[in-house]
Structures are given as C-alpha cells and as structure tokens.
Amino acid sequence: VSRPRRADLVLVGFGHVGRRFASLLGESRPALLAQYGLDCRIVGIATRRMGARFDTRGVEIAHDGPAAAHPAAGSAALQVITQLARSSDADLKIVVETTVLDIAAGQPAIDHVRAGFAAGCHVITANKGPVAFAYSSLNREAESAGVRFLFEGAVMDGVPIFNLVRDTLPLIEISGFRGVVNSTTNHMLTAMEAGETFGAALGRMQAEGIAEADASLDIDGWDAAAKTAALANVLLEAGISPPAVHRIGITESDAARARQARANGQRLKLVASAARDRSGKVSASAKPMALPATDLLAGLEGKANALILQTDLLGEIAICQLEGSLTQTAYALLSDLVTIAKQPARRGAPAR
Amino acid sequence: VSRPRRADLVLVGFGHVGRRFASLLGESRPALLAQYGLDCRIVGIATRRMGARFDTRGVEIAHDGPAAAHPAAGSAALQVITQLARSSDADLKIVVETTVLDIAAGQPAIDHVRAGFAAGCHVITANKGPVAFAYSSLNREAESAGVRFLFEGAVMDGVPIFNLVRDTLPLIEISGFRGVVNSTTNHMLTAMEAGETFGAALGRMQAEGIAEADASLDIDGWDAAAKTAALANVLLEAGISPPAVHRIGITESDAARARQARANGQRLKLVASAARDRSGKVSASAKPMALPATDLLAGLEGKANALILQTDLLGEIAICQLEGSLTQTAYALLSDLVTIAKQPARRGAPAR
C-alpha cells in the first residue's frame, strides 16, 4: 500500500453550503483515506465578511466561522488561493468555491475559478454561474493548467448529472434534454394547482425556508435558465449563457393555468429544456408548460427534480432527485473531490 | 499519442443480442479508436448450434451467423475461450457472454464466465444469471485472475445502474432499492387495468414480440426475482440467489386488482425491492403492489423501467429507462467494453 496522498483545500465562501461541506468532509475522513488513499485538510478559508485565514497545518473550523478571522485587505479569496499555491506542498491543491452567486453575471464565482486555475489549483464549485456563463473558456483554461474543473452541484445538487454523462455513458450522443430543476417554482405550482394563490404559496415557501427572502430569481425563471445554460453548455456544447435561454417565469396568472391543466388531466411545470437541431444550433428554454399526466416530469411533487436526456443509443433516460437538502449540495462537492482523487489529470474521455 | 491498444473479443452466444452487439461494435470502431485508443476485433464466435469459429485475424460476421460454422466437439464456448487465451497477443482479451439463460440455475452463463476468468480473460455479459446466482464468488475469482467482470446489461439494459453506483456515487451507502424492472408484466398490468383480460393481454404482448413465446418466467416473477437478486448482491452485498427472493407473479386475478387499484387512485405494479435491516440482513421481494399515484414507479407505462435507490447522503434517487430495445442491451456490453478500456485493473473504489 502506497502512502496516502495529501489534499489541501481552501474554502472560498463559508456559508451554509461551505460549512456543511466542511463537516461532511470531517465525517468522511476515514472513508476517503481507506477507499481512495486521500488525506484531506482544510488549510484556508476566505469569506467576504471575515476575510482570509490560512494555515498549512490546517485551520480550525469553529461552528459559526473561522476560529479567528483576520480581516484582509484586497480579496480574501485571491489571498488564500495564492497562499495555497505557494505554501502548500500537498499532492493535490483544491479550491472549493461556494460564494453567494450574482446570477446575472456568474460572479464572483467565475473570477475565483479562474484565479484557482491561474494558481495551478483544481477547482470544484457548487455554483452554476461559471458553467452557465463561461464553460468553454474555463474548460480550456483548466486543460491548459493541467487541473480539473468540476461542478456536479450546479444542477440537482449531488445527484450525478455531469458525472453520469462523463463516466457512465461512453460513446453516447446527447441531442437534447428536458427537466424540472427549480424546486421553489415546482412547490409553488403544486400549491397553486391545489387552490392556493401565488402570494400565499410564495409566502408559505419563504416561511418554510424553501424559497429565499428574495425569491425573484426563482420566480422569474433565472435560476432555471442558468441551470439550462449550464446543462446545454456541458451536454450539448452549446456555448450559450443564461440570457440566450428563452425564459418565462411564473406569475399570478399561472394559478388559474395550473388549475385548468389539472382539470384537463395535465400538470403545469416549469420545464428547462434544450435541443440541438439538424444544423447543430442549440435552442434552450425555461418556461411553464402543461404536460400530460403520463409524462415523467408531470409526477414530480415539491422538492423532486428530474432530468430526461435524449440519447442516440439509449433513447430517453432520466435521473431523479426525490429529496433535496444542504447535505446533498455538500455531497456534490465531496463527489467532485473524489473525482479529482481518482483522476487528477483528465484523460480518455472526450471533452464534453 | 501512444499506439492504439488492441482488444480481441470472442462472442459466446450469437443470438439477437450478440449480433446487435457485433454490428454496434462495427459502427463504434472510429469512436472507440479516437476516444479510447482502442482497436477492437472479434476473433471468435461460439454458438450451441453452429459450434466454434476462431481466427486471430478476425472472423467474418455474416448477417445470420458465423460465415462458415465449424461444428465442434465438446463445448464450443470453452474452445474459443481457450483459443483466445493461447493464440491472441492482444493487450486486452475479452469474453462477451450472451447465451440463452436457464434462469433457474444461471447456466450455462456461469460456466462461461468462470472459464473466461480461468483463462485470464476479462468477461462482460448481458446475462443476469451469473450476478444473481454467484456474484460474490465470481467477483473473487475475477480479482484473483486480475481481470474485470462486468454486467451492466443484467438489469435495465444499457441504462447505467452498476456503473452509476460504482463510478458516480462515491462514499454513498445504499440501504435498499425498489423498482419496476420487468417490461412484460408492466405492459400486461397496464393493459389489464384498462380492462383487458390476462389472456388477451398476454397474447397481444406475444404477438407484438414484447413477451417471449414462453412468458412464464416473466409472469411467474422469476425474471424480476433474478434481477432483484442481482441488484441486492451488487448494491447490498446480500449474497443471495433468486430462490431467496420472496416472489409473487401475476395471475388472472390481478386484472381485477389492477382495475380496483386504478379506481382507488393507485396503480398495481410488479415491484422488485430489497432492504438491509439493522442487523445487516437483506430481505428481498418481487411482487405486485398497489402504489399511490404520486409514487414515481406508479407512472411507468409499458416498456418504461425505473430503479429507486435509498441512500444515506442523497436520500432517494432514481434512474429511469423510458424505452427499451435490442440496441440498448447491446449498448450495455459496449459500455462494459469501454470500462475495461479505461480501467483494465480494478482499483480505487471498494468492492461493492
């Protein structure tokens, strides 16, 4: 048995997802060592509010933040990334990106990902912004730097989408997809078809912590559009960004549409979809659609998400997430970490 | 770029699945070479009726059988496997097993798999028998021989189940599963709840080529029980065989049950399931169950199959096959071939 490989991680962003990832990583230490020969340490944390903290011996993770935060001049993120690159002698240097996303521009996540590559570090992120706005250029930069760029958590949390296609569907050509990938709107449409008003449904989602206080990104369809762009970029090489997705959110008038659909034996769902036409052009949309009851997507209730892939050799196949929680998002990052442990340099499979 | 690796294949069994695999392999040659640096040749074919044919320069595949069949004394299968081991100098030697299965014993597939390992060859099979009856011992034999044993096609054709768990769900503990994995009974239950009789539904399935002339293995639940055992052995390390699965097939009386379920807002489905209890014991069943309409499995029509996995970190996730055909089964073998190309020696991940 060879000696364990050491992985040094810096966490850029330390909110709910980053904290749950840190605790899940702690719980998974014995299994990571036993199964993958990987010895992981968190050596740095950067947050907007508390600045940067870095220690090659590992930072102490207090329950509600870095144990002793050192407010830093300049960008805390760039600081810990640079320190990881310069001060760590680990076999694997990994930036874990979980900052709050500006969905209109994909920032600051894109800058953090790019800084990671420039410093020669692998980058894993739970943010959809980098993949939705800049997949092809980031992918090229990662390849040039000889590092991995992984983002399983960008869509449907830790349920494998990108890993499914990359690792288990060799030689398959994907021509399109359709899915339900936004939980807030799915919850609301389910409530509205049962008779609740738009306002009441939204208020209840916010009270239950399902929707954000500012739920406009969900309701206006931006979250679904960003996920659609991310999926289209990776699975269909679309090279688009979210504004190119034909986007229709849900409004008060959808309460009546949802009830009418139900009365007709249909279900109203916010469907994210994209397809490549014969000329190779990809068109993408995220909009409410009345689906026949027999459609797999029609049956998804509440937090359930699903993605149907249209393939050449397997016809239509689907993967579904029946529950969602913070642990699932944190697991996405953990699975990306294992992907790097198994294959620090990409090989074999083609660029998707 | 390094020189392509050569893979020599012998086909043990050359019925519908074997033939479609051979043609799919031909169609996939350029992609296998370009993406995986793999140069594949079929150097042997063994069938019960036509005997063995072997040629290290590659055998000609005629449309309806080996171009010139040489009836052989003894077992044609063992003959071509031995010839592959002795006469081929390829980098990868692979036995592709697709014989007609005796589902009551898993034979002759188990003997063929074992002979492949004994000869130092990788084995891929579309048969569920070996995994359902002898998974743990075959797995040990493959490890001792330093070769791979792969069987993605054993359940739900080419839709990744075993590859999904092995390659994309690291560190996940699976505690159980439930699924609809037999298409004949699913078709029949759908027809029966719409008012067709058992006999009429069965006759129509046979006329349409969905059910075999002898459909008893489907109807009696043996096919579902064998798949349940296969899944339980691999995903739950159950160490069981199909007779240990609590098995109830479908009968004429299920027509009334199916209609009654539908009238109650439920759907009657033949559900394959298994779970590990707290003591570690796995109980498994394959039997008709009335499911609430909101259950993902309730919505599966006709050829659609699905498997729901119960996991620790991701809750329940599901993978669905919405269509099924010979190409999908052949693709399962092709995906196993790529797995061997990517990783001829198993490493990293734990034994499942």
Side-chain angles (χ1 to χ4, degrees), chain B residues 155-271:
Chain B
V155 182
M156 281 172 64
D157 299 331
V159 171
I161 302 291
F162 304 111
N163 292 334
L164 177 81
V165 172
R166 192 187 58 230
D167 293 335
T168 74
L169 298 176
L171 305 172
I172 289 273
E173 193 73 41
I174 294 175
S175 57
F177 63 82
R178 44 195 210 93
V180 168
V181 294
N182 177 272
S183 295
T184 297
T185 51
N186 199 42
H187 265 284
M188 286 182 66
L189 288 170
T190 307
M192 283 153 64
E193 72 182 8
E196 211 164 4
T197 64
F198 181 91
L202 177 58
R204 201 162 53 78
M205 298 304 132
Q206 288 169 329
E208 291 175 13
I210 294 163
E212 304 281 325
D214 176 5
S216 61
L217 294 173
D218 290 327
I219 290 167
D220 292 347
W222 274 114
D223 177 78
K227 289 171 176 166
T228 304
L231 290 165
N233 286 341
V234 181
L235 305 182
L236 303 172
E237 298 170 37
I240 62 173
S241 67
V245 176
H246 177 58
R247 176 184 54 79
I248 302 177
I250 64 168
T251 65
E252 292 180 24
S253 67
D254 285 309
R257 282 186 71 200
R259 287 195 302 274
Q260 186 59 47
R262 180 121 219 190
N264 295 341
Q266 299 178 311
R267 308 291 299 273
L268 191 68
K269 295 288 172 190
L270 187 75
V271 177

Side-chain angles (χ1 to χ4, degrees), chain B residues 13-14 46-51 72 76 99-101 108:
Chain B
F14 197 61
T47 72
R48 199 166 4 173
R49 254 183 284 174
M50 294 183 289
T99 59
V100 175
L101 184 69

Side-chain angles (χ1 to χ4, degrees), chain B residues 178 291-300 308:
Chain B
R178 44 195 210 93
L291 304 176
T294 51
D295 190 311
L296 178 75
L297 301 181
L300 300 171
I308 300 174

Side-chain angles (χ1 to χ4, degrees), chain B residues 49-350:
Chain B
R49 254 183 284 174
M50 294 183 289
R53 181 170 158 79
F54 188 90
D55 188 331
T56 50
R57 294 162 303 177
V59 295
E60 294 259 325
I61 310 267
H63 185 62
D64 50 5
H70 295 268
S75 161
L78 299 186
Q79 193 178 323
V80 295
I81 291 170
T82 306
Q83 285 182 289
L84 176 65
R86 289 194 191 152
S87 313
S88 162
D89 60 356
D91 303 282
L92 301 170
K93 304 181 188 187
I94 303 172
V95 175
V96 183
E97 212 287 338
T98 63
T99 59
V100 175
L101 184 69
D102 172 4
I103 210 168
Q107 290 292 12
I110 294 175
D111 286 346
H112 297 156
V113 171
R114 199 156 261 155
F117 298 156
C121 302
H122 304 287
V123 180
I124 64 185
T125 181
N127 268 320
K128 55 194 144 304
V131 197
F133 282 90
Y135 174 64
S136 62
S137 60
L138 292 176
N139 210 31
R140 276 195 306 272
E141 290 168 38
E143 285 194 6
S144 303
V147 297
R148 300 295 305 256
F149 169 40
L150 297 167
F151 40 78
E152 186 57 74
V155 182
M156 281 172 64
D157 299 331
V159 171
I161 302 291
F162 304 111
N163 292 334
L164 177 81
V165 172
R166 192 187 58 230
D167 293 335
T168 74
L169 298 176
L171 305 172
I172 289 273
E173 193 73 41
I174 294 175
S175 57
F177 63 82
R178 44 195 210 93
V180 168
V181 294
N182 177 272
S183 295
T184 297
T185 51
N186 199 42
H187 265 284
M188 286 182 66
L189 288 170
T190 307
M192 283 153 64
E193 72 182 8
E196 211 164 4
T197 64
F198 181 91
L202 177 58
R204 201 162 53 78
M205 298 304 132
Q206 288 169 329
E208 291 175 13
I210 294 163
E212 304 281 325
D214 176 5
S216 61
L217 294 173
D218 290 327
I219 290 167
D220 292 347
W222 274 114
D223 177 78
K227 289 171 176 166
T228 304
L231 290 165
N233 286 341
V234 181
L235 305 182
L236 303 172
E237 298 170 37
I240 62 173
S241 67
V245 176
H246 177 58
R247 176 184 54 79
I248 302 177
I250 64 168
T251 65
E252 292 180 24
S253 67
D254 285 309
R257 282 186 71 200
R259 287 195 302 274
Q260 186 59 47
R262 180 121 219 190
N264 295 341
Q266 299 178 311
R267 308 291 299 273
L268 191 68
K269 295 288 172 190
L270 187 75
V271 177
S273 67
R276 197 188 285 123
D277 68 18
R278 283 179 188 185
S279 73
K281 193 174 172 306
V282 174
S283 56
S285 67
K287 60 184 181 189
M289 298 178 72
L291 304 176
T294 51
D295 190 311
L296 178 75
L297 301 181
L300 300 171
E301 306 273 344
K303 283 194 183 174
N305 280 193
L307 184 70
I308 300 174
L309 300 174
Q310 284 129 13
T311 79
D312 54 349
L313 296 177
L314 288 177
E316 287 198 330
I317 68 171
I319 186 147
C320 316
Q321 171 179 36
L322 302 185
E323 301 159 46
S325 78
L326 209 51
T327 298
Q328 268 120 323
T329 312
Y331 174 75
L333 295 163
L334 188 64
S335 76
D336 285 343
L337 177 64
V338 171
T339 299
I340 294 172
K342 289 199 292 189
Q343 204 174 320
R346 199 158 91 170
R347 58 165 166 71

Side-chain angles (χ1 to χ4, degrees), chain A residues 24 28 31-32 35-36 158-160 163-164 166-172 294 296 299 301 308 313-323 327-328 331 334-335 338 342 347-350, chain B residues 24 28 31-32 35-36 158-160 163-164 166-172 294 296 299 301 308 313-323 327-328 331 334-335 338 342 347-350:
Chain A
L24 185 59
S28 307
L32 282 167
Q35 295 178 28
Y36 301 99
V159 171
N163 292 334
L164 177 82
R166 191 189 56 229
D167 293 335
T168 76
L169 298 176
L171 305 172
I172 289 273
T294 52
L296 177 76
E301 306 273 343
I308 299 174
L313 297 177
L314 288 177
E316 286 197 331
I317 68 172
I319 186 148
C320 315
Q321 171 180 36
L322 302 185
E323 301 159 46
T327 297
Q328 268 119 322
Y331 174 75
L334 188 64
S335 77
V338 170
K342 289 199 293 189
R347 58 167 165 70
Chain B
L24 186 58
S28 308
L32 282 167
Q35 295 177 28
Y36 300 100
V159 171
N163 292 334
L164 177 81
R166 192 187 58 230
D167 293 335
T168 74
L169 298 176
L171 305 172
I172 289 273
T294 51
L296 178 75
E301 306 273 344
I308 300 174
L313 296 177
L314 288 177
E316 287 198 330
I317 68 171
I319 186 147
C320 316
Q321 171 179 36
L322 302 185
E323 301 159 46
T327 298
Q328 268 120 323
Y331 174 75
L334 188 64
S335 76
V338 171
K342 289 199 292 189
R347 58 165 166 71

